[in-house]
Amino acid sequence: SKAFLNHSRILTKDMKGIAEGGLGCLYYYLGDLNQARSLLEEAIVKIENSHDKNLDRVANLNKWLANVYREIAENEKAEVLLKRVI
């Protein structure tokens, strides 16, 4: 649940980004593309701006976000993200 993400006292920004990414993937599977998009975009920004830039995780989340963009017919955005992943 997204309520978990509001516990900023126990979650670092890195942890929150990772959790948001996981939830974004889950919402994608559930078909809630708006929630998936929002969470994935936020997660990518947090992880890219963290001290421990986990490039594998960012690439994976970009792939998921590209799938969301493709599903909502934002094909140009999907293509840009997929090129970044490669």
Side-chain angles (χ1 to χ4, degrees):
S1 147
K2 284 181 64 173
F4 173 75
L5 298 174
N6 293 328
H7 294 284
S8 59
R9 288 184 221 160
I10 59 173
L11 293 176
T12 65
K13 288 181 183 179
D14 295 344
M15 292 168 62
K16 191 172 180 180
I18 292 167
E20 284 174 340
L23 277 174
C25 294
L26 180 63
Y27 277 111
Y28 174 80
Y29 277 120
L30 294 173
D32 190 342
L33 300 177
N34 289 327
Q35 282 291 338
R37 178 184 182 168
S38 175
L39 287 164
L40 289 166
E41 288 173 342
E42 291 174 24
I44 290 166
V45 168
K46 283 185 178 82
I47 294 170
E48 284 180 335
N49 292 329
S50 73
H51 296 294
D52 179 29
K53 293 182 183 180
N54 188 330
L55 298 179
D56 290 338
R57 187 177 309 274
V58 171
N60 188 41
L61 294 178
N62 275 316
K63 179 190 69 171
W64 283 103
L65 184 55
N67 286 334
V68 170
Y69 286 151
R70 186 181 48 81
E71 293 276 340
I72 61 175
E74 292 190 20
N75 296 323
E76 290 179 15
K77 287 184 178 182
E79 184 178 347
V80 168
L81 282 180
L82 289 174
K83 285 181 180 177
R84 280 179 54 185
V85 170
I86 297 171

Coordinates of all heavy atoms in Angstrom, one line a residue:
S1 N 0.8 -1.2 0.0 CA 0.0 0.0 0.0 C 0.9 1.2 0.0 O 2.0 1.3 0.6 CB -0.9 -0.1 1.2 OG -1.2 1.2 1.7
K2 N 0.4 2.3 -0.6 CA 1.1 3.5 -0.7 C 1.3 4.2 0.7 O 2.2 5.0 0.9 CB 0.5 4.5 -1.7 CG 0.7 4.1 -3.1 CD 0.1 5.1 -4.0 CE 0.7 6.5 -3.9 NZ 0.2 7.4 -4.9
A3 N 0.4 3.8 1.6 CA 0.5 4.4 3.0 C 1.9 4.1 3.6 O 2.4 5.0 4.4 CB -0.6 3.9 3.9
F4 N 2.5 3.0 3.3 CA 3.8 2.6 3.8 C 4.8 3.7 3.4 O 5.8 3.9 4.2 CB 4.2 1.2 3.2 CG 5.5 0.8 3.5 CD1 5.9 0.4 4.8 CD2 6.5 0.8 2.6 CE1 7.2 0.0 5.1 CE2 7.8 0.4 2.9 CZ 8.1 0.0 4.1
L5 N 4.7 4.3 2.2 CA 5.7 5.2 1.7 C 5.7 6.5 2.5 O 6.6 7.3 2.4 CB 5.4 5.5 0.3 CG 5.5 4.3 -0.7 CD1 5.1 4.7 -2.1 CD2 7.0 3.7 -0.6
N6 N 4.6 6.8 3.3 CA 4.6 8.0 4.1 C 5.4 8.0 5.4 O 5.4 8.9 6.1 CB 3.1 8.3 4.4 CG 2.3 8.7 3.2 OD1 2.9 9.3 2.2 ND2 1.1 8.3 3.1
H7 N 6.0 6.8 5.7 CA 6.8 6.7 6.9 C 8.2 7.2 6.7 O 9.1 6.4 6.7 CB 6.7 5.3 7.4 CG 5.4 4.8 7.8 ND1 4.8 5.2 9.0 CD2 4.5 4.0 7.2 CE1 3.6 4.7 9.1 NE2 3.4 4.0 8.0
S8 N 8.3 8.5 6.5 CA 9.6 9.0 6.2 C 10.6 8.9 7.3 O 11.8 9.0 7.1 CB 9.5 10.5 5.8 OG 8.9 11.2 6.8
R9 N 10.2 8.7 8.5 CA 11.1 8.5 9.6 C 11.8 7.2 9.6 O 12.9 7.1 10.1 CB 10.4 8.6 11.0 CG 9.9 10.0 11.3 CD 9.3 10.1 12.6 NE 8.1 11.0 12.5 CZ 7.1 11.1 13.3 NH1 7.1 10.3 14.3 NH2 6.1 11.9 13.0
I10 N 11.2 6.2 9.0 CA 11.9 4.9 8.9 C 12.4 4.5 7.5 O 13.2 3.6 7.4 CB 10.9 3.8 9.4 CG1 9.7 3.7 8.6 CG2 10.6 3.9 10.9 CD1 8.8 2.5 8.9
L11 N 12.1 5.3 6.6 CA 12.5 5.0 5.2 C 13.5 6.1 4.7 O 13.2 7.3 4.8 CB 11.4 5.0 4.2 CG 10.4 3.9 4.3 CD1 9.2 4.1 3.3 CD2 11.0 2.5 4.1
T12 N 14.6 5.7 4.2 CA 15.5 6.7 3.6 C 15.0 7.0 2.2 O 14.1 6.2 1.7 CB 17.0 6.1 3.5 OG1 16.9 5.0 2.6 CG2 17.5 5.7 4.8
K13 N 15.5 8.0 1.6 CA 15.1 8.3 0.2 C 15.4 7.1 -0.7 O 14.5 6.8 -1.6 CB 15.7 9.6 -0.3 CG 15.2 10.8 0.4 CD 15.9 12.1 -0.2 CE 15.4 13.3 0.6 NZ 16.0 14.5 0.1
D14 N 16.5 6.5 -0.6 CA 16.8 5.3 -1.4 C 15.8 4.2 -1.2 O 15.3 3.6 -2.2 CB 18.2 4.8 -1.0 CG 19.3 5.8 -1.4 OD1 19.1 6.7 -2.1 OD2 20.4 5.6 -0.9
M15 N 15.5 3.9 0.1 CA 14.5 2.8 0.3 C 13.1 3.2 -0.2 O 12.4 2.3 -0.8 CB 14.4 2.6 1.9 CG 15.7 2.0 2.5 SD 15.7 2.1 4.3 CE 14.3 1.1 4.7
K16 N 12.8 4.5 -0.1 CA 11.5 4.9 -0.6 C 11.4 4.7 -2.1 O 10.4 4.3 -2.7 CB 11.2 6.3 -0.2 CG 9.8 6.8 -0.5 CD 9.5 8.1 0.1 CE 8.1 8.6 -0.2 NZ 7.8 9.9 0.4
G17 N 12.5 5.1 -2.8 CA 12.6 4.9 -4.3 C 12.5 3.5 -4.7 O 11.7 3.2 -5.6
I18 N 13.1 2.6 -4.0 CA 13.1 1.2 -4.3 C 11.6 0.7 -4.1 O 11.1 -0.1 -4.9 CB 14.1 0.4 -3.4 CG1 15.5 0.7 -3.9 CG2 13.8 -1.1 -3.5 CD1 16.6 0.3 -2.9
A19 N 11.0 1.1 -2.9 CA 9.6 0.6 -2.6 C 8.7 1.2 -3.7 O 7.8 0.4 -4.2 CB 9.2 1.1 -1.2
E20 N 8.8 2.4 -4.1 CA 8.0 3.0 -5.1 C 8.1 2.3 -6.4 O 7.1 2.0 -7.1 CB 8.3 4.5 -5.3 CG 7.8 5.4 -4.2 CD 8.2 6.8 -4.4 OE1 9.2 7.1 -5.1 OE2 7.6 7.7 -3.8
G21 N 9.3 1.9 -6.8 CA 9.5 1.2 -8.0 C 8.8 -0.2 -8.0 O 8.2 -0.6 -9.0
G22 N 8.9 -0.9 -6.9 CA 8.2 -2.2 -6.7 C 6.7 -2.0 -6.8 O 6.1 -2.8 -7.5
L23 N 6.2 -1.0 -6.1 CA 4.8 -0.7 -6.2 C 4.3 -0.3 -7.6 O 3.3 -0.7 -8.1 CB 4.4 0.3 -5.2 CG 4.1 -0.1 -3.8 CD1 3.9 1.1 -2.9 CD2 3.0 -1.0 -3.7
G24 N 5.2 0.4 -8.3 CA 4.9 0.8 -9.7 C 4.7 -0.4 -10.6 O 3.8 -0.5 -11.4
C25 N 5.6 -1.3 -10.4 CA 5.5 -2.6 -11.2 C 4.3 -3.4 -10.9 O 3.6 -3.9 -11.7 CB 6.8 -3.5 -11.0 SG 8.3 -2.7 -11.5
L26 N 3.9 -3.4 -9.6 CA 2.7 -4.1 -9.1 C 1.5 -3.4 -9.7 O 0.6 -4.1 -10.3 CB 2.6 -4.1 -7.6 CG 1.4 -4.8 -7.0 CD1 1.4 -6.3 -7.3 CD2 1.4 -4.6 -5.5
Y27 N 1.4 -2.1 -9.7 CA 0.3 -1.4 -10.3 C 0.2 -1.6 -11.8 O -0.9 -1.7 -12.3 CB 0.3 0.1 -9.9 CG -0.2 0.4 -8.6 CD1 0.6 0.9 -7.6 CD2 -1.6 0.3 -8.3 CE1 0.1 1.2 -6.3 CE2 -2.1 0.6 -7.1 CZ -1.2 1.1 -6.1 OH -1.7 1.4 -4.8
Y28 N 1.3 -1.8 -12.4 CA 1.3 -2.1 -13.9 C 0.6 -3.4 -14.1 O -0.2 -3.5 -15.0 CB 2.8 -2.1 -14.4 CG 2.8 -2.6 -15.8 CD1 2.5 -1.7 -16.9 CD2 3.2 -3.9 -16.2 CE1 2.6 -2.1 -18.2 CE2 3.2 -4.3 -17.5 CZ 2.9 -3.4 -18.5 OH 2.9 -3.9 -19.8
Y29 N 1.0 -4.4 -13.3 CA 0.4 -5.7 -13.5 C -1.1 -5.7 -13.2 O -1.9 -6.4 -13.8 CB 1.1 -6.7 -12.5 CG 2.3 -7.3 -13.1 CD1 3.5 -7.2 -12.5 CD2 2.3 -8.1 -14.3 CE1 4.7 -7.8 -13.0 CE2 3.5 -8.6 -14.8 CZ 4.6 -8.5 -14.2 OH 5.8 -9.0 -14.7
L30 N -1.5 -4.8 -12.2 CA -2.9 -4.7 -11.9 C -3.7 -3.9 -12.9 O -4.9 -3.8 -12.8 CB -3.1 -4.1 -10.5 CG -2.5 -5.0 -9.3 CD1 -2.6 -4.2 -8.0 CD2 -3.3 -6.3 -9.3
G31 N -3.0 -3.2 -13.8 CA -3.7 -2.5 -14.8 C -3.9 -1.0 -14.5 O -4.6 -0.3 -15.2
D32 N -3.4 -0.6 -13.3 CA -3.6 0.8 -12.9 C -2.4 1.6 -13.4 O -1.4 1.9 -12.7 CB -3.7 0.9 -11.4 CG -4.1 2.3 -10.9 OD1 -4.0 3.3 -11.7 OD2 -4.6 2.4 -9.8
L33 N -2.5 2.0 -14.7 CA -1.3 2.6 -15.4 C -1.0 4.0 -14.9 O 0.1 4.4 -14.9 CB -1.6 2.6 -16.9 CG -1.8 1.2 -17.5 CD1 -2.1 1.3 -19.0 CD2 -0.6 0.3 -17.3
N34 N -2.0 4.7 -14.4 CA -1.7 6.1 -13.9 C -0.9 6.0 -12.6 O 0.0 6.7 -12.4 CB -3.0 6.8 -13.6 CG -3.7 7.2 -14.9 OD1 -3.0 7.5 -15.9 ND2 -5.0 7.3 -14.9
Q35 N -1.3 5.1 -11.7 CA -0.5 4.9 -10.5 C 0.9 4.3 -10.8 O 1.9 4.8 -10.2 CB -1.2 3.9 -9.5 CG -2.4 4.5 -8.8 CD -1.9 5.5 -7.7 OE1 -0.8 5.5 -7.3 NE2 -2.8 6.4 -7.4
A36 N 0.9 3.4 -11.7 CA 2.2 2.8 -12.1 C 3.1 3.9 -12.6 O 4.3 4.0 -12.2 CB 2.0 1.7 -13.1
R37 N 2.6 4.7 -13.5 CA 3.4 5.8 -14.1 C 4.0 6.7 -13.0 O 5.1 7.0 -13.0 CB 2.6 6.6 -15.1 CG 3.3 7.7 -15.7 CD 2.4 8.5 -16.7 NE 3.2 9.6 -17.3 CZ 2.7 10.3 -18.3 NH1 1.5 10.1 -18.8 NH2 3.4 11.2 -18.8
S38 N 3.1 7.2 -12.2 CA 3.5 8.1 -11.1 C 4.5 7.5 -10.2 O 5.6 8.2 -10.0 CB 2.2 8.5 -10.3 OG 2.5 9.3 -9.2
L39 N 4.3 6.3 -9.8 CA 5.3 5.7 -8.8 C 6.6 5.4 -9.5 O 7.7 5.7 -8.9 CB 4.7 4.4 -8.3 CG 3.6 4.6 -7.2 CD1 2.8 3.4 -7.0 CD2 4.2 5.1 -5.9
L40 N 6.6 4.9 -10.7 CA 7.8 4.6 -11.4 C 8.6 5.9 -11.7 O 9.8 5.9 -11.6 CB 7.5 3.9 -12.7 CG 7.1 2.4 -12.5 CD1 6.5 1.9 -13.8 CD2 8.2 1.6 -12.0
E41 N 7.9 7.0 -12.2 CA 8.6 8.2 -12.4 C 9.3 8.8 -11.2 O 10.4 9.2 -11.2 CB 7.7 9.3 -13.0 CG 7.3 9.0 -14.4 CD 6.2 9.9 -15.0 OE1 5.5 10.6 -14.2 OE2 6.0 9.9 -16.2
E42 N 8.6 8.7 -10.0 CA 9.1 9.2 -8.8 C 10.3 8.3 -8.3 O 11.3 8.8 -7.8 CB 8.0 9.2 -7.7 CG 6.9 10.2 -7.9 CD 5.8 10.1 -6.9 OE1 6.0 9.6 -5.8 OE2 4.7 10.6 -7.3
A43 N 10.1 7.0 -8.5 CA 11.2 6.1 -8.1 C 12.5 6.3 -8.8 O 13.6 6.4 -8.3 CB 10.7 4.7 -8.2
I44 N 12.3 6.5 -10.1 CA 13.5 6.7 -11.0 C 14.3 8.0 -10.6 O 15.5 8.0 -10.4 CB 13.1 6.8 -12.5 CG1 12.7 5.3 -12.9 CG2 14.3 7.3 -13.3 CD1 12.0 5.3 -14.2
V45 N 13.5 9.1 -10.3 CA 14.2 10.3 -9.9 C 14.9 10.1 -8.6 O 16.0 10.5 -8.4 CB 13.1 11.4 -9.8 CG1 13.7 12.7 -9.1 CG2 12.6 11.8 -11.2
K46 N 14.2 9.5 -7.6 CA 14.9 9.3 -6.3 C 16.1 8.4 -6.4 O 17.1 8.7 -5.8 CB 13.9 8.6 -5.3 CG 12.8 9.6 -4.8 CD 11.9 8.9 -3.8 CE 10.9 9.9 -3.2 NZ 9.8 10.1 -4.1
I47 N 16.1 7.4 -7.1 CA 17.2 6.5 -7.2 C 18.4 7.1 -8.0 O 19.5 7.0 -7.6 CB 16.8 5.1 -7.8 CG1 15.9 4.4 -6.9 CG2 18.0 4.3 -8.1 CD1 15.2 3.2 -7.5
E48 N 18.0 7.9 -9.1 CA 19.1 8.6 -9.8 C 19.7 9.7 -9.0 O 20.9 9.9 -9.2 CB 18.5 9.2 -11.1 CG 18.2 8.2 -12.2 CD 17.6 8.9 -13.5 OE1 17.0 9.9 -13.4 OE2 17.8 8.3 -14.5
N49 N 19.0 10.2 -8.1 CA 19.6 11.3 -7.2 C 20.2 10.8 -5.9 O 20.6 11.6 -5.1 CB 18.5 12.4 -6.9 CG 18.1 13.1 -8.2 OD1 18.9 13.3 -9.1 ND2 16.8 13.5 -8.2
S50 N 20.2 9.5 -5.7 CA 20.7 9.0 -4.5 C 22.2 8.9 -4.5 O 22.8 9.0 -5.6 CB 20.1 7.6 -4.2 OG 20.6 6.6 -5.1
H51 N 22.8 8.7 -3.3 CA 24.2 8.5 -3.3 C 24.7 7.2 -3.9 O 25.7 7.1 -4.5 CB 24.7 8.5 -1.8 CG 24.4 9.8 -1.1 ND1 25.1 11.0 -1.5 CD2 23.6 10.2 -0.1 CE1 24.6 12.0 -0.8 NE2 23.7 11.5 0.1
D52 N 23.8 6.2 -3.8 CA 24.1 4.9 -4.4 C 23.3 4.7 -5.7 O 22.3 4.1 -5.7 CB 23.8 3.8 -3.4 CG 24.1 2.4 -3.9 OD1 25.0 2.3 -4.8 OD2 23.4 1.4 -3.5
K53 N 23.8 5.3 -6.7 CA 23.1 5.3 -8.0 C 23.1 3.8 -8.5 O 24.1 3.4 -9.1 CB 23.7 6.2 -9.0 CG 23.5 7.7 -8.6 CD 24.0 8.6 -9.7 CE 23.9 10.0 -9.2 NZ 24.4 10.9 -10.2
N54 N 22.1 3.1 -8.3 CA 22.0 1.7 -8.7 C 21.5 1.7 -10.2 O 20.3 1.7 -10.5 CB 21.0 0.9 -7.8 CG 21.1 -0.5 -8.1 OD1 21.3 -1.0 -9.2 ND2 20.8 -1.3 -7.1
L55 N 22.5 1.7 -11.1 CA 22.2 1.8 -12.5 C 21.4 0.7 -13.0 O 20.5 0.8 -13.9 CB 23.4 2.0 -13.3 CG 24.2 3.3 -13.0 CD1 25.5 3.4 -13.8 CD2 23.4 4.6 -13.2
D56 N 21.6 -0.5 -12.5 CA 20.8 -1.7 -12.9 C 19.3 -1.5 -12.6 O 18.4 -1.8 -13.3 CB 21.3 -3.0 -12.3 CG 22.6 -3.4 -12.8 OD1 23.0 -3.0 -14.0 OD2 23.3 -4.2 -12.1
R57 N 19.1 -1.0 -11.3 CA 17.7 -0.8 -10.9 C 17.1 0.3 -11.7 O 15.9 0.2 -12.1 CB 17.7 -0.4 -9.4 CG 16.3 -0.3 -8.9 CD 16.3 -0.1 -7.4 NE 17.1 -0.9 -6.6 CZ 16.8 -2.1 -6.1 NH1 15.6 -2.6 -6.4 NH2 17.6 -2.9 -5.4
V58 N 17.8 1.4 -12.0 CA 17.2 2.5 -12.8 C 16.9 2.0 -14.2 O 15.8 2.3 -14.8 CB 18.2 3.7 -12.9 CG1 17.8 4.7 -13.9 CG2 18.4 4.3 -11.5
A59 N 17.8 1.2 -14.8 CA 17.5 0.6 -16.1 C 16.2 -0.3 -16.1 O 15.4 -0.2 -17.0 CB 18.7 -0.2 -16.6
N60 N 16.1 -1.1 -15.1 CA 14.9 -1.9 -15.0 C 13.7 -1.1 -14.8 O 12.6 -1.4 -15.5 CB 15.1 -2.9 -13.8 CG 14.0 -3.9 -13.8 OD1 13.6 -4.5 -14.8 ND2 13.5 -4.2 -12.6
L61 N 13.7 -0.1 -14.0 CA 12.5 0.8 -13.8 C 12.2 1.5 -15.1 O 11.0 1.7 -15.4 CB 12.7 1.7 -12.6 CG 12.8 1.0 -11.2 CD1 13.0 2.0 -10.1 CD2 11.5 0.2 -10.9
N62 N 13.2 2.0 -15.8 CA 13.0 2.6 -17.1 C 12.3 1.7 -18.0 O 11.4 2.1 -18.8 CB 14.3 3.2 -17.7 CG 14.6 4.5 -17.1 OD1 13.8 5.4 -17.0 ND2 15.9 4.7 -16.8
K63 N 12.6 0.4 -18.0 CA 12.0 -0.6 -18.9 C 10.5 -0.7 -18.5 O 9.6 -0.7 -19.4 CB 12.6 -1.9 -18.7 CG 12.0 -3.0 -19.5 CD 12.6 -4.4 -19.1 CE 12.1 -4.7 -17.7 NZ 12.4 -6.0 -17.3
W64 N 10.2 -0.7 -17.2 CA 8.8 -0.8 -16.8 C 8.0 0.4 -17.2 O 6.9 0.4 -17.6 CB 8.7 -1.1 -15.3 CG 9.0 -2.5 -14.9 CD1 10.2 -3.0 -14.4 CD2 8.1 -3.6 -15.1 NE1 10.1 -4.3 -14.2 CE2 8.8 -4.7 -14.6 CE3 6.9 -3.7 -15.6 CZ2 8.3 -6.0 -14.7 CZ3 6.3 -5.0 -15.6 CH2 7.0 -6.1 -15.1
L65 N 8.7 1.6 -17.0 CA 8.0 2.8 -17.3 C 7.8 2.9 -18.8 O 6.7 3.4 -19.3 CB 8.8 4.0 -16.8 CG 8.2 5.4 -17.0 CD1 6.8 5.5 -16.4 CD2 9.1 6.5 -16.5
A66 N 8.7 2.4 -19.6 CA 8.5 2.4 -21.1 C 7.3 1.5 -21.4 O 6.5 1.9 -22.3 CB 9.8 1.8 -21.8
N67 N 7.1 0.4 -20.7 CA 5.9 -0.4 -20.9 C 4.6 0.3 -20.6 O 3.6 0.2 -21.3 CB 6.0 -1.7 -20.1 CG 7.0 -2.7 -20.6 OD1 7.3 -2.7 -21.8 ND2 7.5 -3.5 -19.7
V68 N 4.7 1.1 -19.6 CA 3.5 1.9 -19.2 C 3.2 2.9 -20.3 O 2.1 3.1 -20.8 CB 3.7 2.7 -17.9 CG1 2.6 3.7 -17.6 CG2 3.8 1.7 -16.7
Y69 N 4.3 3.6 -20.8 CA 4.1 4.6 -21.8 C 3.5 4.0 -23.1 O 2.7 4.5 -23.8 CB 5.4 5.3 -22.2 CG 5.9 6.3 -21.1 CD1 7.2 6.6 -21.0 CD2 5.0 7.0 -20.4 CE1 7.7 7.5 -20.1 CE2 5.4 8.0 -19.5 CZ 6.8 8.2 -19.3 OH 7.2 9.1 -18.4
R70 N 4.0 2.8 -23.4 CA 3.5 2.1 -24.6 C 2.1 1.7 -24.5 O 1.3 1.9 -25.4 CB 4.4 0.8 -24.8 CG 4.0 0.0 -26.0 CD 4.9 -1.2 -26.1 NE 4.9 -2.1 -24.9 CZ 3.9 -2.9 -24.6 NH1 2.9 -3.1 -25.4 NH2 4.0 -3.6 -23.5
E71 N 1.6 1.3 -23.3 CA 0.2 1.0 -23.0 C -0.7 2.2 -23.1 O -1.8 2.0 -23.5 CB 0.1 0.3 -21.6 CG 0.8 -1.0 -21.5 CD -0.1 -2.2 -22.0 OE1 -1.3 -2.0 -22.1 OE2 0.5 -3.2 -22.2
I72 N -0.2 3.3 -22.8 CA -1.0 4.6 -22.8 C -0.8 5.4 -24.1 O -1.1 6.5 -24.2 CB -0.9 5.4 -21.6 CG1 0.6 5.9 -21.4 CG2 -1.4 4.7 -20.3 CD1 0.7 6.9 -20.3
A73 N -0.1 4.7 -25.1 CA 0.1 5.3 -26.4 C 1.0 6.5 -26.4 O 0.8 7.4 -27.3 CB -1.2 5.6 -27.1
E74 N 2.0 6.5 -25.5 CA 3.0 7.6 -25.6 C 4.3 6.9 -26.1 O 5.3 6.7 -25.4 CB 3.2 8.2 -24.2 CG 2.0 9.0 -23.8 CD 2.2 9.8 -22.5 OE1 3.4 10.1 -22.2 OE2 1.2 10.2 -21.9
N75 N 4.2 6.5 -27.3 CA 5.2 5.7 -27.9 C 6.6 6.4 -28.0 O 7.6 5.7 -27.9 CB 4.8 5.2 -29.3 CG 3.6 4.3 -29.2 OD1 3.5 3.5 -28.3 ND2 2.6 4.4 -30.1
E76 N 6.6 7.7 -28.3 CA 7.9 8.4 -28.4 C 8.6 8.4 -27.0 O 9.8 8.1 -27.0 CB 7.6 9.8 -28.8 CG 7.2 9.9 -30.3 CD 7.0 11.3 -30.7 OE1 7.4 12.3 -30.0 OE2 6.4 11.5 -31.8
K77 N 7.9 8.6 -25.9 CA 8.5 8.5 -24.6 C 9.0 7.1 -24.3 O 10.1 6.9 -23.8 CB 7.5 8.9 -23.5 CG 7.2 10.4 -23.5 CD 6.3 10.7 -22.3 CE 6.0 12.2 -22.3 NZ 5.1 12.5 -21.1
A78 N 8.2 6.1 -24.7 CA 8.6 4.7 -24.5 C 9.9 4.4 -25.3 O 10.8 3.8 -24.8 CB 7.5 3.8 -25.0
E79 N 10.0 4.9 -26.5 CA 11.2 4.7 -27.3 C 12.4 5.3 -26.7 O 13.5 4.7 -26.7 CB 11.0 5.2 -28.8 CG 12.1 4.9 -29.7 CD 11.8 5.4 -31.1 OE1 10.7 5.8 -31.4 OE2 12.8 5.5 -31.9
V80 N 12.3 6.5 -26.2 CA 13.4 7.2 -25.6 C 13.9 6.5 -24.4 O 15.1 6.3 -24.2 CB 13.0 8.7 -25.2 CG1 14.0 9.3 -24.3 CG2 12.8 9.5 -26.5
L81 N 13.0 6.0 -23.6 CA 13.4 5.2 -22.4 C 14.1 3.9 -22.8 O 15.1 3.6 -22.2 CB 12.2 5.0 -21.5 CG 11.7 6.1 -20.6 CD1 10.5 5.7 -19.8 CD2 12.8 6.6 -19.7
L82 N 13.5 3.2 -23.7 CA 14.1 2.0 -24.1 C 15.5 2.2 -24.7 O 16.4 1.3 -24.5 CB 13.2 1.2 -25.1 CG 12.0 0.7 -24.5 CD1 11.1 0.1 -25.6 CD2 12.3 -0.4 -23.4
K83 N 15.7 3.3 -25.4 CA 17.1 3.5 -25.9 C 18.1 3.8 -24.8 O 19.2 3.5 -24.8 CB 17.0 4.7 -26.9 CG 16.5 4.3 -28.2 CD 16.4 5.5 -29.2 CE 15.9 5.0 -30.6 NZ 15.8 6.2 -31.5
R84 N 17.6 4.5 -23.7 CA 18.4 4.8 -22.5 C 18.8 3.5 -21.9 O 19.9 3.4 -21.3 CB 17.7 5.6 -21.5 CG 17.7 7.1 -21.9 CD 16.9 7.9 -20.9 NE 17.4 7.8 -19.5 CZ 16.8 8.3 -18.5 NH1 15.7 9.1 -18.6 NH2 17.2 8.1 -17.3
V85 N 17.9 2.5 -21.8 CA 18.1 1.2 -21.2 C 19.2 0.5 -21.9 O 20.1 -0.2 -21.3 CB 16.8 0.4 -21.1 CG1 17.2 -1.0 -20.6 CG2 15.9 1.1 -20.2
I86 N 19.2 0.5 -23.2 CA 20.2 -0.2 -24.0 C 21.5 0.5 -23.9 O 22.5 0.1 -23.7 CB 19.7 -0.3 -25.5 CG1 18.4 -1.1 -25.6 CG2 20.8 -0.9 -26.4 CD1 17.8 -1.1 -27.0

